[in-house]
C-alpha cells in the first residue's frame, strides 16, 4: 500500500476519507459522547495540512434514512457538530459544506487555500454511497472525484464496506493509505501471523450473529476464547439454560452449539461466565441481582457478567501474551452494569504482551473508565473492519488502496 509520503499532496486538493462516526447522546442533545475517532483521525489531517494540501474530509455519521439527499439531510444526523469538534481539536477553522457534491461542496472547495481543512456533509445523506448498484456508486464517486486531485483512505472503520467514498473513489484518483489505516493493518497482521502465546480472545457486545464468522476463524488461531456481553445468552441457551428476557438470537442457537463443539475438538478453551448480573428491565436504574449463569429467573434479563466471572476472566487473561478484545461484557452505558467490562479492561492493562481493543463501543468503554490509553497496545477504531480482517475476508477499501 502506498502511504501519504509516496504521493504528491502539496498544493493539491486531497479528498480524505476518515471515520468520524462518533457516538451521539441518545437522549436528544445530539452531543458527541466520545470523540475518540475524531482524535484518531487528527494526525493525518494535520500532516496533510502541514504538507500544504487542501484537505477535504469525507465521513459518515449514523444511519440516515430517507429516499434522497433532501429527506436524509432533514432527518440527520448532520456532521456539523463533528466539524465544530474537529476545528477545536485541530486548532484551526474547518469549513463545513452542507452537501456532498452539490453547490455548497463546490464553493467550499473553491474557497480553500493550501493548508485549509474542510468537511463535507454526511456521505450517507447520498443514498448512492451505500448502493448495491455499482453504477450508482460509481456515478457518485465521479462527482466526488471532481472536487479533488488525490485520495487518501484513512477511515479504517469503513474499509470493509464496498461504498462509493471507500471503494469506488480511490480507483478514480491517485491514492494512498492514511497513517491510521497503515497502523491498524500492521497490528492486525500481528494478530494473525505467528502471534505470541497464550493468545486470548475476549468477545462480547450485543449480537452473536455479528461475531459468529470471526469466532470460527479465531478458533483456528487463539488458545482461549472468553465470551460475555449480550451474545453470551445464545451460548447459554445452546447449553440448555433458560435465559429469561435476555438478548437471545434463537435462530443462532445451533451455530453456537457448533462453535462449542468445534472449540472442544480443536482444544481451544472456551470460557463462559459462571454468574450473571440480571435486572427486571433494561434501564439504568433497574435493580441488579447476581444469579448463577444456569439459573436466570423468568422475567429477568442479563445485563452484565457477575463478580465470579470477572475474576475468572481476569485470571484467564493474566498469563496472556496476545489479547484481542471486541465487545463490552455488559451494558456498560449503565454504571450499575459496567463492572464486567471494566474488569476486562483493567485486566488488559496488566497484560505483558500485545493487547488490542477493537470496536467502537469497546473503545468508548475503555475511555469512559478513564483508563490510560497508553496501557493498551492498540485501540482500534474499527470493530467490524477488524472482525472481518480477522475472519480472513478481503476488505474492499484495502483492495482499492492496494491497487
Ligand atoms: P463494539 O462496538 O465494541 O464492536 P458491539 O457494537 O458489538 O460492540 O456491542 C456493544 C453494545 O452491546 C453496547 O451498546 C452494550 O450496551 C451492548 N451489550 C453488552 N452486553 C449486553 C447485554 N447483556 N444485553 C444487552 N446489550 C448488551
Ligand atoms: Mg458497536
Amino acid at each position: 500500500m502506498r502511504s501519504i509520503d509516496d504521493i504528491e499532496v502539496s498544493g493539491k486538493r486531497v479528498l480524505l476519507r476518515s471515520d468520524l462516526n462518533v457516538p451521539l447522546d441518545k437522549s436528544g442533545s445530539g452531543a458527541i459522547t466520545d470523540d475518540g475517532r475524531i482524535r484518531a483521525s487528527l494526525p493525518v489531517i494535520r500532516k496533510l495540512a502541514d504538507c500544504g494540501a487542501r484537505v477535504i474530509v469525507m465521513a459518515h455519521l449514523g444511519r440516515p434514512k430517507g429516499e434522497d439527499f433532501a429527506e436524509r439531510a432533514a432527518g440527520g444526523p448532520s456532521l456539523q457538530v463533528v466539524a465544530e469538534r474537529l476545528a477545536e481539536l485541530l486548532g484551526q477553522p474547518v469549513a463545513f459544506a452542507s452537501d456532498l457534491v452539490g453547490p455548497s461542496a463546490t464553493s467550499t472547495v473553491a474557497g480553500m487555500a493550501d493548508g485549509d481543512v474542510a468537511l463535507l456533509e454526511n456521505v450517507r445523506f447520498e443514498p448512492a454511497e451505500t448502493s448495491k448498484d455499482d453504477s450508482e456508486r460509481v456515478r457518485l464517486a465521479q462527482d466526488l472525484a471532481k472536487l479533488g486531485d488525490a485520495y487518501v483512505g484513512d477511515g479504517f472503520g469503513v474499509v470493509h464496506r464496498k461504498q462509493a467514498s471507500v471503494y469506488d473513489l480511490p480507483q478514480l484518483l491517485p491514492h494512498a493509505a492514511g497513517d491510521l489505516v497503515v497502523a491498524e493493518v500492521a497490528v492486525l497482521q500481528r494478530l494473525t501471523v505467528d502471534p505470541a502465546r497464550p493468545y486470548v480472545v475476549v468477545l462480547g457486545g450485543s449480537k452473536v450473529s455479528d461475531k459468529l464468522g470471526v469466532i470460527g476463524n479465531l478458533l483456528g488461531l487463539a488458545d482461549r476464547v472468553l465470551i460475555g456481553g449480550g451474545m453470551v445468552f445464545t451460548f447459554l441457551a445452546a447449553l440448555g439454560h433458560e435465559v429469561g428476557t435476555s438478548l437471545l438470537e434463537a435462530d443462532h442457537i445451533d451455530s453456537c452449539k457448533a462453535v462449542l463443539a468445534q472449540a472442544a475438538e480443536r482444544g481451544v478453551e472456551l470460557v463462559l461466565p459462571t454468574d450473571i448480573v440480571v435486572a427486571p428491565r433494561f434501564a439504568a436504574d433497574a435493580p441488579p441481582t447476581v444469579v448463577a449463569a444456569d439459573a436466570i429467573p423468568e422475567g429477568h434479563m442479563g445485563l452484565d457478567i457477575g463478580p465470579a466471572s470477572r475474576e475468572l476472566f481476569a485470571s484467564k487473561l493474566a498469563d496472556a501474551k496476545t489479547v484481542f478484545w471486541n465487545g463490552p461484557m455488559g451494558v456498560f452505558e449503565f454504571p450499575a452494569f459496567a463492572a464486567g467490562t471494566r474488569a476486562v479492561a483493567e485486566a488488559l492493562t496488566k497484560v505483558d504482551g500485545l493487547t488490542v481493543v477493537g470496536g467502537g463501543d469497546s473503545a468508548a468503554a475503555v475511555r469512559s473508565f478513564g483508563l490510560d490509553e497508553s496501557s493498551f497496545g492498540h485501540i482500534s477504531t474499527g470493530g467490524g473492519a477488524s472482525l472481518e480482517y480477522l475472519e480472513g475476508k478481503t476488505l474492499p477499501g484495502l483492495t482499492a488502496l492496494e491497487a
Side-chain angles (χ1 to χ4, degrees):
M1 263 187 314
R2 261 178 311 276
S3 77
I4 291 179
D5 306 320
D6 304 322
I7 61 167
E8 187 66 51
V9 297
S10 171
K12 304 281 186 206
R13 297 168 304 160
V14 176
L15 286 161
L16 171 67
R17 178 59 158 105
S18 296
D19 177 8
L20 306 178
N21 189 25
V22 288
L24 301 177
D25 179 47
K26 288 181 182 77
S27 67
S29 77
I32 296 168
T33 53
D34 175 59
D35 62 7
R37 280 182 168 156
I38 305 179
R39 290 176 187 275
S41 304
L42 287 178
V44 165
I45 299 175
R46 262 204 201 110
K47 185 170 174 177
L48 288 168
D50 288 349
C51 288
R54 303 172 183 207
V55 191
I56 306 153
V57 186
M58 302 168 292
H60 73 282
L61 187 61
R63 293 179 185 277
K65 293 194 175 60
E67 288 298 308
D68 54 20
F69 180 89
E71 259 184 45
R72 291 184 177 205
S78 167
L79 273 169
Q80 175 88 52
V81 291
V82 172
E84 285 160 17
R85 179 65 60 89
L86 179 59
E88 262 169 53
L89 294 172
L90 268 179
Q92 81 175 71
V94 171
F96 182 67
S98 59
D99 56 28
L100 191 63
V101 289
S104 176
T106 309
S107 67
T108 300
V109 171
M112 291 173 85
D114 295 353
D116 279 357
V117 176
L119 176 65
L120 305 182
E121 183 54 291
N122 196 341
V123 290
R124 291 194 186 162
F125 282 178
E126 289 290 349
E129 165 70 3
T130 54
S131 172
K132 294 275 174 280
D133 181 338
D134 291 352
S135 62
E136 276 182 27
R137 283 199 323 273
V138 169
R139 237 173 290 138
L140 175 59
Q142 284 166 340
D143 287 340
L144 281 167
K146 288 178 200 148
L147 297 172
D149 308 303
Y151 175 93
V152 173
D154 204 39
F156 179 72
V158 286
V159 290
H160 59 313
R161 305 287 188 202
K162 196 174 183 179
Q163 297 176 346
S165 68
V166 178
Y167 175 74
D168 304 281
L169 181 56
Q171 303 182 47
L172 303 176
L173 292 169
H175 54 263
D179 299 12
L180 180 61
V181 161
V182 171
E184 295 267 12
V185 171
V187 168
L188 288 169
Q189 271 166 355
R190 288 177 67 192
L191 290 179
T192 44
V193 182
D194 201 17
R197 299 186 180 280
Y199 183 176
V200 184
V201 170
V202 189
L203 291 176
S206 45
K207 290 171 85 185
V208 73
S209 51
D210 286 350
K211 317 268 161 117
L212 280 166
V214 80
I215 302 181
N217 219 34
L218 287 172
L219 288 179
L221 274 171
D223 302 300
R224 240 174 251 154
V225 179
L226 322 183
I227 297 180
M231 64 184 281
V232 87
F233 302 102
T234 309
F235 276 95
L236 293 176
L239 291 172
H241 304 322
E242 295 295 331
V243 297
T245 51
S246 307
L247 266 189
L248 174 71
E249 289 180 89
D251 46 343
H252 285 102
I253 291 177
D254 283 343
S255 319
C256 289
K257 283 184 184 165
V259 168
L260 291 165
Q262 227 181 18
E265 209 171 281
R266 293 183 170 211
V268 176
E269 191 186 357
L270 203 136
V271 184
L272 296 175
T274 54
D275 58 350
I276 302 285
V277 183
V278 300
R281 56 181 198 281
F282 188 89
D285 63 351
T289 318
V290 176
V291 300
D294 59 1
I296 298 175
E298 216 185 296
H300 278 65
M301 59 177 70
L303 295 177
D304 195 9
I305 60 172
S309 309
R310 283 170 223 154
E311 266 182 47
L312 173 67
F313 281 23
S315 75
K316 296 289 180 189
L317 284 161
D319 65 340
K321 288 283 174 280
T322 306
V323 180
F324 174 68
W325 172 32
N326 169 266
M329 295 294 100
V331 184
F332 73 95
E333 296 92 336
F334 301 157
F337 306 99
T341 306
R342 178 188 279 275
V344 164
E346 282 173 355
L348 253 68
T349 64
K350 296 183 187 129
V351 165
D352 177 21
L354 173 66
T355 54
V356 179
V357 182
D361 292 297
S362 311
V366 163
R367 285 188 283 267
S368 77
F369 298 142
L371 296 171
D372 181 6
E373 285 182 45
S374 68
S375 48
F376 296 85
H378 181 72
I379 300 182
S380 173
T381 51
S386 329
L387 289 178
E388 291 201 13
Y389 186 99
L390 294 175
E391 266 177 63
K393 291 190 180 160
T394 48
L395 309 185
L398 295 182
T399 311
L401 290 175
E402 277 156 8

